[in-house]
Amino acid sequence: MCNPKTVTDNTFDIKLEDHFKLYILLRDKITFESELRNNGIEFYSGQKEQPIIDGGIRYFLLNSDRPKIDQIIIKNEIIANTETITVSDHRDDKKVMKLYLYVAGIVIAIMILIGVIDRFF
């Protein structure tokens, strides 16, 4: 692991340098920011300027830190998007599909039970 340097959170000066924007989902915010601090990567979060964070919290990061940031994202399995590339989280889709199948199974079982009870009574 790298020796962390002192990092100033939300350094606005990053927006004035050669930077890129990355959108991180709210659920990954703590992990992502913690890893940025541990690796001595300065960042600027546009969360206060961003009233709607459905697409993720916008981070401004230096282009020179891109390789470290890529490793952080891969290692921690963080879903990250840019303004031009959007990645969906298929883990959530699988959970929704399992829930849908579970509920459908219960409904079918209740319908069969009602049909059986109706025949005998």
Side-chain angles (χ1 to χ4, degrees):
M1 185 182 228
C2 301
N3 291 332
K5 65 180 183 180
T6 304
V7 176
T8 307
D9 296 350
N10 279 344
T11 307
F12 185 80
D13 294 341
I14 290 175
K15 291 177 82 172
L16 304 175
E17 297 181 36
D18 191 21
H19 69 276
F20 66 100
K21 297 174 198 160
L22 199 62
Y23 292 85
I24 303 294
L25 296 176
L26 182 60
R27 69 173 184 215
D28 293 327
K29 177 186 188 298
I30 294 172
T31 303
F32 184 66
E33 287 185 8
S34 173
E35 287 294 322
L36 290 177
R37 287 185 191 98
N38 290 341
N39 287 284
I41 299 172
E42 293 184 340
F43 63 92
Y44 178 75
S45 170
Q47 186 174 1
K48 293 178 184 174
E49 304 162 359
Q50 193 179 358
I52 300 172
I53 56 173
D54 289 343
I57 299 168
R58 181 176 52 198
Y59 288 90
F60 294 86
L61 303 154
L62 294 175
N63 276 331
S64 59
D65 293 327
R66 191 181 289 256
K68 289 181 189 177
I69 294 165
D70 288 343
Q71 290 301 317
I72 289 170
I73 290 169
I74 292 168
K75 182 178 98 178
N76 294 291
E77 297 180 350
I78 295 173
I79 303 297
N81 299 311
T82 63
E83 291 181 334
T84 56
I85 299 173
T86 304
V87 179
S88 63
D89 188 2
H90 295 292
R91 294 176 292 190
D92 286 342
D93 294 342
K94 288 180 182 178
K95 290 177 186 176
V96 170
M97 183 60 76
K98 285 181 183 178
L99 179 63
Y100 174 77
L101 292 174
Y102 181 73
V103 170
I106 290 174
V107 169
I108 291 171
I110 290 172
M111 290 174 60
I112 291 172
L113 184 62
I114 289 172
V116 169
I117 291 173
D118 190 41
R119 276 203 164 149
F120 289 112
F121 295 108

Short mmCIF file of all heavy atoms in Angstrom, two decimals, residues 53-94:
data_model
loop_
_atom_site.label_atom_id
_atom_site.label_comp_id
_atom_site.label_asym_id
_atom_site.label_seq_id
_atom_site.Cartn_x
_atom_site.Cartn_y
_atom_site.Cartn_z
N ILE A 53 -28.79 13.14 -7.20
CA ILE A 53 -27.62 12.26 -7.27
C ILE A 53 -28.00 10.85 -7.70
O ILE A 53 -27.31 9.89 -7.38
CB ILE A 53 -26.87 12.23 -5.93
CG1 ILE A 53 -27.78 11.81 -4.78
CG2 ILE A 53 -26.20 13.54 -5.65
CD1 ILE A 53 -27.07 11.59 -3.47
N ASP A 54 -29.09 10.72 -8.45
CA ASP A 54 -29.50 9.39 -8.92
C ASP A 54 -28.42 8.75 -9.79
O ASP A 54 -28.22 7.55 -9.75
CB ASP A 54 -30.80 9.47 -9.70
CG ASP A 54 -31.99 9.76 -8.81
OD1 ASP A 54 -31.87 9.59 -7.59
OD2 ASP A 54 -33.04 10.17 -9.35
N GLY A 55 -27.75 9.54 -10.60
CA GLY A 55 -26.72 9.02 -11.49
C GLY A 55 -25.38 8.88 -10.80
O GLY A 55 -24.42 8.44 -11.42
N GLY A 56 -25.30 9.26 -9.56
CA GLY A 56 -24.05 9.17 -8.81
C GLY A 56 -23.55 10.54 -8.40
O GLY A 56 -24.00 11.57 -8.90
N ILE A 57 -22.62 10.53 -7.49
CA ILE A 57 -21.99 11.77 -7.01
C ILE A 57 -20.83 12.08 -7.94
O ILE A 57 -20.02 11.23 -8.25
CB ILE A 57 -21.50 11.61 -5.57
CG1 ILE A 57 -22.70 11.29 -4.66
CG2 ILE A 57 -20.77 12.85 -5.10
CD1 ILE A 57 -22.31 10.83 -3.28
N ARG A 58 -20.76 13.32 -8.38
CA ARG A 58 -19.72 13.73 -9.34
C ARG A 58 -18.43 14.07 -8.60
O ARG A 58 -18.42 14.85 -7.65
CB ARG A 58 -20.19 14.92 -10.15
CG ARG A 58 -19.19 15.38 -11.17
CD ARG A 58 -19.73 16.49 -12.03
NE ARG A 58 -20.24 17.55 -11.16
CZ ARG A 58 -21.07 18.50 -11.58
NH1 ARG A 58 -21.48 18.52 -12.82
NH2 ARG A 58 -21.50 19.42 -10.75
N TYR A 59 -17.34 13.45 -9.05
CA TYR A 59 -16.01 13.73 -8.51
C TYR A 59 -15.13 14.29 -9.62
O TYR A 59 -15.16 13.80 -10.74
CB TYR A 59 -15.35 12.45 -7.97
CG TYR A 59 -15.98 11.97 -6.69
CD1 TYR A 59 -17.04 11.09 -6.71
CD2 TYR A 59 -15.49 12.40 -5.46
CE1 TYR A 59 -17.62 10.65 -5.53
CE2 TYR A 59 -16.07 11.97 -4.28
CZ TYR A 59 -17.13 11.10 -4.32
OH TYR A 59 -17.72 10.67 -3.17
N PHE A 60 -14.36 15.30 -9.28
CA PHE A 60 -13.35 15.84 -10.18
C PHE A 60 -12.01 15.31 -9.68
O PHE A 60 -11.65 15.50 -8.52
CB PHE A 60 -13.36 17.37 -10.14
CG PHE A 60 -14.62 17.97 -10.68
CD1 PHE A 60 -15.74 18.15 -9.87
CD2 PHE A 60 -14.70 18.34 -12.01
CE1 PHE A 60 -16.90 18.70 -10.37
CE2 PHE A 60 -15.86 18.90 -12.53
CZ PHE A 60 -16.97 19.07 -11.70
N LEU A 61 -11.30 14.62 -10.57
CA LEU A 61 -10.04 13.98 -10.20
C LEU A 61 -8.97 14.34 -11.23
O LEU A 61 -9.27 14.53 -12.41
CB LEU A 61 -10.23 12.46 -10.16
CG LEU A 61 -11.34 12.01 -9.20
CD1 LEU A 61 -11.92 10.68 -9.64
CD2 LEU A 61 -10.80 11.92 -7.80
N LEU A 62 -7.73 14.40 -10.79
CA LEU A 62 -6.64 14.75 -11.69
C LEU A 62 -6.34 13.60 -12.65
O LEU A 62 -6.36 12.43 -12.26
CB LEU A 62 -5.38 15.07 -10.88
CG LEU A 62 -5.45 16.33 -10.02
CD1 LEU A 62 -4.18 16.46 -9.18
CD2 LEU A 62 -5.65 17.56 -10.89
N ASN A 63 -6.06 13.93 -13.89
CA ASN A 63 -5.70 12.92 -14.88
C ASN A 63 -4.45 12.15 -14.48
O ASN A 63 -4.32 10.97 -14.80
CB ASN A 63 -5.50 13.55 -16.26
CG ASN A 63 -6.81 13.73 -17.00
OD1 ASN A 63 -7.76 12.99 -16.80
ND2 ASN A 63 -6.85 14.73 -17.85
N SER A 64 -3.55 12.80 -13.77
CA SER A 64 -2.31 12.13 -13.35
C SER A 64 -2.58 11.00 -12.35
O SER A 64 -1.76 10.09 -12.21
CB SER A 64 -1.34 13.15 -12.75
OG SER A 64 -1.93 13.79 -11.64
N ASP A 65 -3.71 11.04 -11.66
CA ASP A 65 -4.07 10.01 -10.68
C ASP A 65 -4.92 8.89 -11.27
O ASP A 65 -5.33 7.98 -10.56
CB ASP A 65 -4.82 10.63 -9.50
CG ASP A 65 -3.95 11.55 -8.67
OD1 ASP A 65 -2.74 11.27 -8.55
OD2 ASP A 65 -4.48 12.54 -8.13
N ARG A 66 -5.19 8.95 -12.56
CA ARG A 66 -6.11 7.99 -13.19
C ARG A 66 -5.70 6.52 -12.98
O ARG A 66 -6.56 5.70 -12.66
CB ARG A 66 -6.26 8.30 -14.67
CG ARG A 66 -7.39 7.53 -15.33
CD ARG A 66 -7.49 7.86 -16.81
NE ARG A 66 -7.99 9.18 -17.06
CZ ARG A 66 -9.23 9.45 -17.45
NH1 ARG A 66 -10.09 8.48 -17.62
NH2 ARG A 66 -9.61 10.68 -17.68
N PRO A 67 -4.42 6.14 -13.13
CA PRO A 67 -4.08 4.72 -12.91
C PRO A 67 -4.38 4.24 -11.49
O PRO A 67 -4.89 3.13 -11.30
CB PRO A 67 -2.57 4.66 -13.19
CG PRO A 67 -2.30 5.84 -14.06
CD PRO A 67 -3.28 6.90 -13.64
N LYS A 68 -4.09 5.07 -10.49
CA LYS A 68 -4.40 4.70 -9.10
C LYS A 68 -5.91 4.56 -8.91
O LYS A 68 -6.37 3.64 -8.23
CB LYS A 68 -3.87 5.75 -8.13
CG LYS A 68 -2.38 5.81 -7.99
CD LYS A 68 -2.04 6.88 -6.98
CE LYS A 68 -0.58 7.19 -6.90
NZ LYS A 68 -0.31 8.28 -5.96
N ILE A 69 -6.65 5.48 -9.48
CA ILE A 69 -8.11 5.46 -9.34
C ILE A 69 -8.71 4.24 -10.01
O ILE A 69 -9.61 3.60 -9.47
CB ILE A 69 -8.72 6.77 -9.88
CG1 ILE A 69 -8.27 7.94 -9.02
CG2 ILE A 69 -10.24 6.69 -9.92
CD1 ILE A 69 -8.50 9.30 -9.61
N ASP A 70 -8.17 3.87 -11.17
CA ASP A 70 -8.63 2.66 -11.84
C ASP A 70 -8.43 1.44 -10.94
O ASP A 70 -9.31 0.57 -10.85
CB ASP A 70 -7.90 2.46 -13.17
CG ASP A 70 -8.33 3.44 -14.24
OD1 ASP A 70 -9.41 4.06 -14.08
OD2 ASP A 70 -7.60 3.60 -15.24
N GLN A 71 -7.29 1.36 -10.29
CA GLN A 71 -7.02 0.23 -9.40
C GLN A 71 -7.97 0.22 -8.21
O GLN A 71 -8.44 -0.84 -7.79
CB GLN A 71 -5.56 0.27 -8.91
CG GLN A 71 -4.56 -0.03 -9.99
CD GLN A 71 -4.78 -1.41 -10.59
OE1 GLN A 71 -5.03 -2.37 -9.89
NE2 GLN A 71 -4.72 -1.49 -11.91
N ILE A 72 -8.27 1.38 -7.67
CA ILE A 72 -9.21 1.48 -6.53
C ILE A 72 -10.59 0.98 -6.96
O ILE A 72 -11.22 0.21 -6.24
CB ILE A 72 -9.29 2.95 -6.03
CG1 ILE A 72 -8.00 3.32 -5.33
CG2 ILE A 72 -10.49 3.14 -5.11
CD1 ILE A 72 -7.88 4.80 -5.01
N ILE A 73 -11.03 1.40 -8.12
CA ILE A 73 -12.35 1.02 -8.61
C ILE A 73 -12.43 -0.48 -8.85
O ILE A 73 -13.39 -1.15 -8.46
CB ILE A 73 -12.70 1.81 -9.89
CG1 ILE A 73 -12.94 3.27 -9.54
CG2 ILE A 73 -13.91 1.21 -10.59
CD1 ILE A 73 -13.03 4.17 -10.73
N ILE A 74 -11.39 -1.04 -9.45
CA ILE A 74 -11.38 -2.48 -9.74
C ILE A 74 -11.30 -3.29 -8.45
O ILE A 74 -12.04 -4.25 -8.25
CB ILE A 74 -10.21 -2.83 -10.69
CG1 ILE A 74 -10.46 -2.21 -12.06
CG2 ILE A 74 -10.01 -4.33 -10.79
CD1 ILE A 74 -9.25 -2.23 -12.98
N LYS A 75 -10.40 -2.91 -7.55
CA LYS A 75 -10.18 -3.65 -6.31
C LYS A 75 -11.43 -3.68 -5.43
O LYS A 75 -11.75 -4.69 -4.83
CB LYS A 75 -9.01 -3.04 -5.54
CG LYS A 75 -8.66 -3.77 -4.26
CD LYS A 75 -7.47 -3.12 -3.58
CE LYS A 75 -7.99 -2.22 -2.50
NZ LYS A 75 -6.97 -1.54 -1.71
N ASN A 76 -12.14 -2.56 -5.36
CA ASN A 76 -13.30 -2.45 -4.48
C ASN A 76 -14.62 -2.70 -5.18
O ASN A 76 -15.68 -2.52 -4.58
CB ASN A 76 -13.32 -1.07 -3.82
CG ASN A 76 -12.14 -0.88 -2.90
OD1 ASN A 76 -12.09 -1.51 -1.85
ND2 ASN A 76 -11.19 -0.06 -3.27
N GLU A 77 -14.57 -3.08 -6.47
CA GLU A 77 -15.76 -3.36 -7.27
C GLU A 77 -16.78 -2.22 -7.21
O GLU A 77 -17.97 -2.41 -6.98
CB GLU A 77 -16.41 -4.67 -6.83
CG GLU A 77 -15.51 -5.88 -7.03
CD GLU A 77 -16.16 -7.18 -6.59
OE1 GLU A 77 -17.22 -7.16 -5.95
OE2 GLU A 77 -15.57 -8.23 -6.89
N ILE A 78 -16.27 -1.02 -7.41
CA ILE A 78 -17.11 0.18 -7.39
C ILE A 78 -17.63 0.43 -8.80
O ILE A 78 -16.88 0.35 -9.77
CB ILE A 78 -16.28 1.39 -6.90
CG1 ILE A 78 -15.88 1.17 -5.43
CG2 ILE A 78 -17.05 2.69 -7.07
CD1 ILE A 78 -14.92 2.21 -4.89
N ILE A 79 -18.92 0.73 -8.89
CA ILE A 79 -19.51 1.08 -10.18
C ILE A 79 -19.26 2.56 -10.41
O ILE A 79 -19.70 3.41 -9.64
CB ILE A 79 -21.03 0.80 -10.19
CG1 ILE A 79 -21.31 -0.65 -9.85
CG2 ILE A 79 -21.64 1.18 -11.52
CD1 ILE A 79 -20.76 -1.65 -10.83
N ALA A 80 -18.51 2.86 -11.48
CA ALA A 80 -18.16 4.25 -11.79
C ALA A 80 -18.59 4.57 -13.22
O ALA A 80 -18.48 3.73 -14.11
CB ALA A 80 -16.66 4.46 -11.62
N ASN A 81 -19.07 5.77 -13.41
CA ASN A 81 -19.51 6.23 -14.73
C ASN A 81 -18.82 7.54 -15.07
O ASN A 81 -18.43 8.30 -14.18
CB ASN A 81 -21.03 6.46 -14.75
CG ASN A 81 -21.80 5.21 -14.45
OD1 ASN A 81 -21.54 4.16 -15.03
ND2 ASN A 81 -22.74 5.29 -13.52
N THR A 82 -18.73 7.81 -16.36
CA THR A 82 -18.29 9.13 -16.81
C THR A 82 -19.49 9.77 -17.48
O THR A 82 -20.57 9.18 -17.53
CB THR A 82 -17.12 9.01 -17.82
OG1 THR A 82 -17.58 8.33 -18.98
CG2 THR A 82 -15.94 8.28 -17.22
N GLU A 83 -19.31 10.95 -18.01
CA GLU A 83 -20.43 11.62 -18.67
C GLU A 83 -20.78 10.94 -19.99
O GLU A 83 -21.89 11.06 -20.48
CB GLU A 83 -20.10 13.09 -18.89
CG GLU A 83 -20.05 13.85 -17.59
CD GLU A 83 -19.76 15.32 -17.77
OE1 GLU A 83 -19.11 15.69 -18.77
OE2 GLU A 83 -20.16 16.09 -16.90
N THR A 84 -19.83 10.22 -20.58
CA THR A 84 -20.09 9.58 -21.86
C THR A 84 -20.28 8.07 -21.75
O THR A 84 -20.92 7.47 -22.60
CB THR A 84 -18.94 9.86 -22.85
OG1 THR A 84 -17.71 9.42 -22.26
CG2 THR A 84 -18.86 11.32 -23.17
N ILE A 85 -19.73 7.45 -20.71
CA ILE A 85 -19.84 6.00 -20.54
C ILE A 85 -20.62 5.73 -19.26
O ILE A 85 -20.25 6.17 -18.18
CB ILE A 85 -18.46 5.34 -20.45
CG1 ILE A 85 -17.67 5.59 -21.73
CG2 ILE A 85 -18.59 3.85 -20.18
CD1 ILE A 85 -16.24 5.13 -21.67
N THR A 86 -21.72 4.98 -19.41
CA THR A 86 -22.54 4.62 -18.27
C THR A 86 -22.53 3.11 -18.11
O THR A 86 -22.81 2.38 -19.05
CB THR A 86 -23.98 5.12 -18.46
OG1 THR A 86 -23.96 6.53 -18.69
CG2 THR A 86 -24.83 4.82 -17.25
N VAL A 87 -22.21 2.67 -16.90
CA VAL A 87 -22.18 1.25 -16.59
C VAL A 87 -23.32 0.96 -15.63
O VAL A 87 -23.47 1.65 -14.63
CB VAL A 87 -20.83 0.86 -15.94
CG1 VAL A 87 -20.81 -0.61 -15.59
CG2 VAL A 87 -19.67 1.23 -16.84
N SER A 88 -24.12 -0.05 -15.94
CA SER A 88 -25.20 -0.39 -15.02
C SER A 88 -24.74 -1.47 -14.07
O SER A 88 -23.85 -2.26 -14.38
CB SER A 88 -26.44 -0.85 -15.78
OG SER A 88 -26.15 -2.03 -16.49
N ASP A 89 -25.33 -1.50 -12.91
CA ASP A 89 -24.99 -2.48 -11.89
C ASP A 89 -25.91 -3.68 -12.04
O ASP A 89 -27.07 -3.63 -11.64
CB ASP A 89 -25.12 -1.85 -10.51
CG ASP A 89 -24.60 -2.75 -9.41
OD1 ASP A 89 -24.11 -3.85 -9.73
OD2 ASP A 89 -24.67 -2.35 -8.25
N HIS A 90 -25.42 -4.75 -12.61
CA HIS A 90 -26.24 -5.94 -12.85
C HIS A 90 -26.51 -6.71 -11.57
O HIS A 90 -27.41 -7.55 -11.54
CB HIS A 90 -25.58 -6.85 -13.88
CG HIS A 90 -25.48 -6.21 -15.22
ND1 HIS A 90 -26.60 -5.95 -15.99
CD2 HIS A 90 -24.43 -5.74 -15.93
CE1 HIS A 90 -26.23 -5.37 -17.12
NE2 HIS A 90 -24.92 -5.22 -17.10
N ARG A 91 -25.77 -6.43 -10.50
CA ARG A 91 -26.03 -7.11 -9.23
C ARG A 91 -27.42 -6.74 -8.72
O ARG A 91 -28.13 -7.58 -8.20
CB ARG A 91 -24.96 -6.75 -8.20
CG ARG A 91 -23.59 -7.28 -8.57
CD ARG A 91 -22.57 -6.81 -7.59
NE ARG A 91 -22.41 -5.36 -7.76
CZ ARG A 91 -21.47 -4.65 -7.21
NH1 ARG A 91 -20.59 -5.22 -6.43
NH2 ARG A 91 -21.38 -3.35 -7.42
N ASP A 92 -27.80 -5.47 -8.89
CA ASP A 92 -29.13 -5.04 -8.46
C ASP A 92 -30.21 -5.69 -9.32
O ASP A 92 -31.27 -6.05 -8.83
CB ASP A 92 -29.27 -3.52 -8.53
CG ASP A 92 -28.52 -2.83 -7.41
OD1 ASP A 92 -28.18 -3.49 -6.41
OD2 ASP A 92 -28.28 -1.62 -7.54
N ASP A 93 -29.94 -5.84 -10.62
CA ASP A 93 -30.91 -6.47 -11.51
C ASP A 93 -31.16 -7.92 -11.12
O ASP A 93 -32.29 -8.40 -11.17
CB ASP A 93 -30.41 -6.42 -12.96
CG ASP A 93 -30.34 -4.99 -13.50
OD1 ASP A 93 -30.97 -4.10 -12.89
OD2 ASP A 93 -29.65 -4.78 -14.51
N LYS A 94 -30.12 -8.62 -10.70
CA LYS A 94 -30.27 -10.01 -10.28
C LYS A 94 -31.12 -10.11 -9.01
O LYS A 94 -31.94 -11.00 -8.88
CB LYS A 94 -28.90 -10.65 -10.03
CG LYS A 94 -28.14 -10.93 -11.30
CD LYS A 94 -26.79 -11.57 -10.99
CE LYS A 94 -26.00 -11.81 -12.26
NZ LYS A 94 -24.69 -12.40 -11.96
#
